[in-house]
Amino acid sequence: MMHKGKKHYLKHWGLIKFLYTYLMLKLNSFIGLRLSVVRSRPISDTNQLTIEKNGYSFRPVSVEELCQLNITNDMDLSQNFIDKSQQRGDICIGAFFDGQLVGYTWRTSKPVEIDGSIWIRFSSKGYYRYKSFVSPKHRRKNLFEYMKAVSEGPLIEKGCDKLIACIESHNYASLLASTKSGEKTIGYTAYIKNRFGFFSWDSPGAKRHDVHIFLKEKDDSIV
């Protein structure tokens, strides 16, 4: 979160946000606390299955194509992760430059792992955007926004009518991008996981959309 250093973060976001981020990082380190903002927006079919912009192309990528692509290690995309996403029927939207995958984001309408054994579930009318990544060489080009603009038609066909997003409360860059995309805060969710156990909390707004963070046991089957 402060990978460029505390001074750079302080200059960019200001003292109040710096102190809040520092507090949340310490609470996560000491007691395993994570507090997130739940965002949502209605979805509609833009019919933009492929977007071309500034030499980049943005489009859905099949699991078979992902397996055939020469994906480098810096893309943080393992075969195990791809296999799990395929089993759930999740959708990958990719960003390409010169035929090479340089970014991606995943969409799912089913409960999904967010941190090891910690999962999130949500309304059957919603879909969740997760595991978004852009190669360091191609950042600061607004690629994620174009990936988000690719048609949500396949999700509408599954019965979805809204996006659900869960963003850590001190991830100001993602919250800003979320606001620019028309997403509104509908609630909050938090959890604590440490050697003493697991506890989660959902605000009334999050509960209205069936958003819930839970601990998945090893023998649980989620389809």
Side-chain angles (χ1 to χ4, degrees):
M1 199 66 69
M2 295 186 186
H3 57 279
K4 291 187 177 180
K6 295 178 182 177
K7 289 184 178 179
H8 180 274
Y9 194 93
L10 178 60
K11 182 178 180 180
H12 188 75
W13 294 109
L15 179 61
I16 300 300
K17 289 184 176 179
F18 169 83
L19 292 174
Y20 179 75
T21 299
Y22 189 77
L23 172 65
M24 295 308 295
L25 291 174
K26 288 298 183 183
L27 287 173
N28 177 253
S29 176
F30 290 143
I31 65 172
L33 170 68
R34 290 186 184 275
L35 171 65
S36 296
V37 182
V38 182
R39 292 285 181 91
S40 182
R41 65 165 171 78
I43 66 175
S44 59
D45 192 359
T46 62
N47 292 315
Q48 291 181 283
L49 293 175
T50 301
I51 298 174
E52 305 284 342
K53 192 73 174 181
N54 301 327
Y56 292 89
S57 63
F58 309 87
R59 59 177 174 80
V61 190
S62 69
V63 171
E64 290 74 21
E65 185 179 0
L66 283 173
C67 294
Q68 294 170 4
L69 289 170
N70 181 25
I71 301 174
T72 56
N73 292 333
D74 68 348
M75 290 302 292
D76 189 31
L77 197 59
S78 68
Q79 186 62 51
N80 182 53
F81 174 84
I82 294 173
D83 290 342
K84 287 182 178 179
S85 299
Q86 182 183 34
Q87 291 173 9
R88 284 196 304 270
D90 296 351
I91 299 170
C92 178
I93 306 298
F96 291 83
F97 186 77
D98 285 340
Q100 180 67 40
L101 183 72
V102 298
Y104 56 82
T105 187
W106 289 81
R107 296 167 171 175
T108 185
S109 57
K110 297 181 179 179
V112 65
E113 173 187 335
I114 58 174
D115 185 12
S117 59
I118 300 172
W119 286 54
I120 184 170
R121 66 172 180 249
F122 41 88
S123 166
S124 60
K125 292 290 186 179
Y127 87 84
Y128 188 78
R129 188 175 55 230
Y130 72 103
K131 187 136 176 103
S132 301
F133 184 87
V134 173
S135 171
K137 295 179 181 178
H138 297 271
R139 291 174 184 172
R140 300 181 183 276
K141 299 180 185 293
N142 214 31
L143 302 191
F144 185 44
E145 292 305 308
Y146 292 115
M147 284 189 277
K148 289 196 291 186
V150 172
S151 173
E152 294 165 315
L155 292 153
I156 295 174
E157 292 176 2
K158 290 185 175 183
C160 299
D161 61 14
K162 67 177 73 69
L163 159 76
I164 299 293
C166 200
I167 305 170
E168 282 197 87
S169 61
H170 55 286
N171 189 343
Y172 303 120
S174 293
L175 288 169
L176 181 60
S178 169
T179 300
K180 289 181 178 179
S181 297
E183 297 162 13
K184 305 293 185 181
T185 298
I186 60 171
Y188 299 87
T189 188
Y191 70 84
I192 294 175
K193 185 176 185 295
N194 53 41
R195 60 194 180 97
F196 297 108
F198 174 82
F199 168 81
S200 67
W201 167 84
D202 314 300
S203 74
K207 289 178 180 178
R208 280 195 293 272
H209 293 264
D210 297 325
V211 177
H212 179 59
I213 306 292
F214 65 99
L215 190 66
K216 177 179 176 291
E217 301 297 337
K218 290 184 179 180
D219 57 350
D220 284 350
S221 177
I222 298 178
V223 180

